[in-house]
Amino acid sequence: MTPALILGVLGVVYGDIGTSPLYALKASVLHFAADGVERWEVLGLLSLIFWSLILTVTVKYVVFVLRADNKGEGGILALMALAQRSARTEQGRWWVALVGMAGACLFFGDGIITPAISVLSAVEGLKVVSDGFDGAVIPLSILVLIALFIVQYRGTGSMGAIFGPVCALWFATIGVLGLIEVVREPEVLVALSPTYAIHFCAAYRLAAFIAMGSVVLAVTGAEALYADMGHFGKRPIKLAWLFFVLPCLALNYFGQGALLLSDPAALENPFFLLAPEWLRLPLVILATAATIIASQAMISGAYSIARQCVQLGFSPRLEVRHTSETEEGQIYLPQVNFALLAGVLVLVLAFKNSDSLAAAYGIAVTGTFVCTSGLAILVFHRQFGWSIALVTLVFGPLLLLDLVFFIANVLKIPDGGYVPLVLGGILMLLMNTWYRGRQLLFARFRQDSLPLKSFLARLPQSRTIRVPGIAVFMTGQADYVPGALLHNLKHNKVLHERVLFVTVLNEDVPQVGPDRRREVQELAAGIHRVILRYGFQESPHIPRELEGLRDAGVAFDPMQSSYFLGRETLVQAVVPKMSRWRQWLYTFMSRNAVPATEFFRIPSDRVVELGVRVAI
């Protein structure tokens, strides 16, 4: 493990949670600021924030959830794939998939809100420098965000070299600023005791419960520890958190608390007022850089989750551009990028400041927390063999805390919490419709198609004319004759000398090793079945894999090959299995999906598409 690896962890994993001090304590204290803020209130909220960091991030993610890796990879969909293996019935697998889809949808909501609230809160520091900057906050925020999304097509490789050092400087700066104020007001450290959090909750009851909706802002970004595990491994993530990130965050929060104890008027912006006047403008610039990095990490995560959704069958095909020749994980999805930018700009223009956006932010994060805890309970019990008692003892309190955070944010739905819920609901409907439509489509194919064994048995007696060349038939059902082949025989009355039936299987692992990538079977003279396996973090490249068939003794010449693809058009069956509006929605998504030629990287000048109508 090298210092460069630790810097990489700081720049990618902790960008989001590292910028939470910009708004978390301020948003929490504002609940009780109407009649002035008292000492015990500040200490109680500080204690709640500190112990949320300990329980949610340190105990839940660092100690336990990081153990639930899927071949070294993490994230809500990797955890879902693990949980699906533990499900004992098809209905159980469906419910697990539903939880995974919900978590992914909320993650996208988080991906839109994070850049908006982070950049806004950083640029708002200009108002502390001078009141004259008040009218420039929104235009500057929009300018920064547009620039951030425009450069995404270049990839994160060139920017990644400075991410780590900038974040290291950020954490060191906020830690030192907090430490200076703590030294001036050391009594603030009594809030390290959980008794202050307990006393605060007992005194305020419902109001304390509502405040938890803002306290959770201190742990936003915790999911990144798990999601980015595959890039860096568990150990660097744990060490960076325990020995650098957590101490710096805690010092800054306690420094802000100490400042509020000595000067309640600092509630205007306790983070930037920690700094001496001469340092505030440089701190705004550093904060803006840190929020850009935090936003970048969330945007990259959204690309990764979107690709996983495609590979796991929850989304239509999307255009995936690889921005690095050496790193498989560095990708750019234009459609996702445009959707994120549009959503971010709408939020900035609609909410106008970070305090208003805080209400919308929490519900996406806490919803993902709940989904992760629920899936982790199943995985630790079924996969890891933990007893019900042990799982309940460990994850019961953590799930209860997640639910408290979530329900507290549900109360903020009228104030902006509806944003991620509406977005998540729309995405959930789209994913569910696509998943259901594909299931019905495959079921119909199996019902109407000719079994491959029967076709091969009749082939010698059929006197079908064989013509020179290689025909590659893409099929999702390896045991049935592709509809494109039957249509080709019906209309052209010929079959190529060499035929490849190619099926792409997406497995519930992040990556498939080279030894398992290709499976080749000779079915008849000149006819082979080829099964290509990909993990949910990989992008298919069919021509490259077919060229590798030479190692298996199957001659393949790209210049002599034609690819036959079927394009399905859904029509209403006599007894429909999908409502008319959902069928329309599925058809709309299918028509706007990236063509198979682009997704599988097939040369467009070698493709023959044959249409077929399917009634469901």
Side-chain angles (χ1 to χ4, degrees):
M1 187 172 60
T2 63
L5 188 59
I6 295 292
L7 283 176
V9 169
L10 292 177
V12 175
V13 178
Y14 293 112
D16 189 4
I17 199 169
T19 54
S20 295
L22 284 164
Y23 45 79
L25 182 62
K26 177 185 175 183
S28 302
V29 177
L30 280 175
H31 287 285
F32 309 94
D35 55 350
V37 182
E38 297 184 28
R39 174 181 176 276
W40 70 275
E41 293 172 328
V42 173
L43 294 178
L45 287 167
L46 272 179
S47 188
L48 281 172
I49 286 176
F50 176 74
W51 285 101
S52 295
L53 288 169
I54 295 298
L55 293 174
T56 299
V57 186
T58 307
V59 176
K60 177 182 170 182
Y61 281 98
V62 172
V63 176
F64 292 111
V65 174
L66 284 180
R67 299 184 184 187
D69 65 295
N70 189 343
K71 302 290 180 66
E73 296 291 341
I76 186 72
L77 291 181
L79 188 63
M80 181 208 73
L82 276 177
Q84 280 194 315
R85 297 179 200 167
S86 307
R88 293 168 180 167
T89 63
E90 192 60 36
Q91 187 177 18
R93 287 178 61 83
W94 164 244
W95 280 109
V96 168
L98 208 59
V99 174
M101 279 191 275
C105 292
L106 289 170
F107 182 89
F108 284 117
D110 194 6
I112 287 179
I113 299 171
T114 293
I117 190 173
S118 298
V119 172
L120 262 178
S121 60
V123 178
E124 281 170 355
L126 290 172
K127 294 191 289 187
V128 177
V129 177
S130 170
D131 291 337
F133 286 114
D134 196 4
V137 170
I138 292 180
L140 278 175
S141 298
I142 290 175
L143 190 64
V144 169
L145 288 166
I146 290 176
L148 173 63
F149 281 94
I150 284 178
V151 301
Q152 289 301 312
Y153 77 96
R154 299 177 63 89
T156 58
S158 56
M159 302 167 67
I162 62 169
F163 279 9
V166 169
C167 273
L169 177 61
W170 166 257
F171 281 114
T173 302
I174 66 174
V176 170
L177 289 175
L179 178 61
I180 292 171
E181 200 63 39
V182 168
V183 170
R184 291 175 181 166
E185 195 82 28
E187 71 165 317
V188 74
L189 293 176
V190 298
L192 289 169
S193 169
T195 55
Y196 283 85
I198 295 170
H199 173 65
F200 181 87
C201 293
Y204 268 119
R205 298 183 182 176
L206 180 60
F209 179 78
I210 294 171
M212 291 295 282
S214 297
V215 169
V216 75
L217 296 174
V219 294
T220 57
E223 188 73 18
L225 277 74
Y226 184 44
D228 291 315
M229 179 170 57
H231 297 291
F232 302 101
K234 303 174 189 176
R235 194 159 178 261
I237 291 175
K238 290 181 177 181
L239 292 178
W241 171 257
L242 294 172
F243 297 104
F244 189 60
V245 176
L246 177 59
C248 291
L249 289 175
L251 281 172
N252 190 264
Y253 282 120
F254 278 83
Q256 291 185 50
L259 180 63
L260 290 175
L261 290 180
S262 60
D263 180 15
L267 184 58
E268 177 194 354
N269 201 319
F271 177 84
F272 285 103
L273 290 174
L274 272 180
E277 192 170 341
W278 62 268
L279 186 60
R280 287 173 189 167
L281 184 58
L283 186 59
V284 170
I285 296 172
L286 180 60
T288 304
T291 55
I292 288 172
I293 292 171
S295 302
Q296 176 63 58
M298 187 58 67
I299 293 166
S300 299
Y303 295 158
S304 179
I305 291 291
R307 180 170 69 169
Q308 291 180 31
C309 287
V310 173
Q311 297 294 75
L312 292 170
F314 297 147
S315 167
R317 293 184 297 268
L318 299 170
E319 182 181 354
V320 179
R321 298 181 190 172
H322 291 259
T323 58
S324 170
E325 295 180 0
T326 57
E327 297 294 329
E328 170 67 25
Q330 291 188 18
I331 55 175
Y332 168 65
L333 281 72
Q335 294 136 305
V336 175
N337 190 65
F338 177 78
L340 289 175
L341 174 58
V344 167
L345 294 182
V346 167
L347 287 182
V348 170
L349 293 172
F351 287 86
K352 293 184 171 55
N353 61 72
S354 59
D355 292 335
S356 300
L357 260 176
Y361 196 19
I363 201 163
V365 176
T366 54
T368 306
F369 284 174
V370 171
C371 293
T372 298
S373 293
L375 292 175
I377 289 172
L378 184 61
V379 169
F380 276 77
H381 175 52
R382 297 271 179 85
Q383 288 281 102
F384 299 161
W386 286 24
S387 66
I388 290 289
L390 181 58
V391 168
T392 304
L393 181 65
V394 171
F395 285 100
L398 297 175
L399 178 59
L400 182 62
L401 179 60
D402 291 339
L403 288 170
V404 168
F405 282 144
F406 180 73
I407 296 170
N409 276 279
V410 167
L411 299 176
K412 297 192 294 184
I413 286 177
D415 301 320
Y418 60 86
V419 172
L421 287 182
V422 170
L423 179 64
I426 293 172
L427 290 175
M428 192 75 174
L429 174 64
L430 294 175
M431 286 188 186
N432 199 335
T433 299
W434 183 260
Y435 190 78
R436 176 62 176 158
R438 297 299 290 175
Q439 284 184 320
L440 292 174
L441 198 62
F442 288 147
R444 190 68 184 183
F445 278 156
R446 287 191 292 269
Q447 179 181 334
D448 296 344
S449 297
L450 177 67
L452 193 55
K453 286 185 179 179
S454 301
F455 172 78
L456 294 174
R458 300 175 190 172
L459 189 60
Q461 293 81 34
S462 66
R463 298 181 181 178
T464 301
I465 299 173
R466 306 291 287 265
V467 296
I470 304 173
V472 180
F473 290 94
M474 304 293 298
T475 174
Q477 306 293 317
D479 295 324
Y480 293 86
V481 180
L485 185 146
L486 295 176
H487 280 69
N488 187 49
L489 281 176
K490 178 180 178 181
H491 295 291
N492 298 324
K493 309 286 192 302
V494 296
L495 189 66
H496 287 72
E497 283 181 340
R498 282 176 288 169
V499 176
L500 300 178
F501 296 123
V502 178
T503 300
V504 175
L505 297 181
N506 296 309
E507 301 200 350
D508 61 354
V509 295
Q511 296 177 343
V512 174
D515 56 321
R516 295 188 58 248
R517 174 77 73 205
R518 293 186 294 267
E519 180 183 325
V520 184
Q521 180 184 1
E522 186 174 9
L523 304 176
I527 300 178
H528 292 81
R529 174 194 287 151
V530 180
I531 295 178
L532 302 176
R533 293 183 172 85
Y534 289 90
F536 54 72
Q537 288 198 337
E538 298 179 292
S539 297
H541 195 311
I542 304 302
R544 182 177 63 197
E545 297 300 337
L546 294 184
E547 287 185 34
L549 293 177
R550 296 165 185 160
D551 299 335
V554 179
F556 182 81
D557 183 354
M559 302 308 296
Q560 298 295 319
S561 303
S562 298
Y563 293 82
F564 290 82
L565 306 177
R567 180 177 287 271
E568 307 90 11
T569 300
L570 297 188
V571 296
Q572 192 98 15
V574 177
V575 182
K577 296 183 178 179
M578 183 182 280
S579 59
R580 187 179 294 276
W581 69 269
R582 288 191 76 186
Q583 188 179 110
W584 176 88
L585 184 60
Y586 178 87
T587 303
F588 176 80
M589 288 192 288
S590 183
R591 286 175 180 169
N592 287 275
V594 169
T597 51
E598 290 183 32
F599 186 76
F600 293 120
R601 306 192 209 183
I602 300 171
S604 56
D605 59 345
R606 309 211 67 83
V607 172
V608 178
E609 282 196 352
L610 297 168
V612 57
R613 292 167 67 86
V614 181
I616 60 172

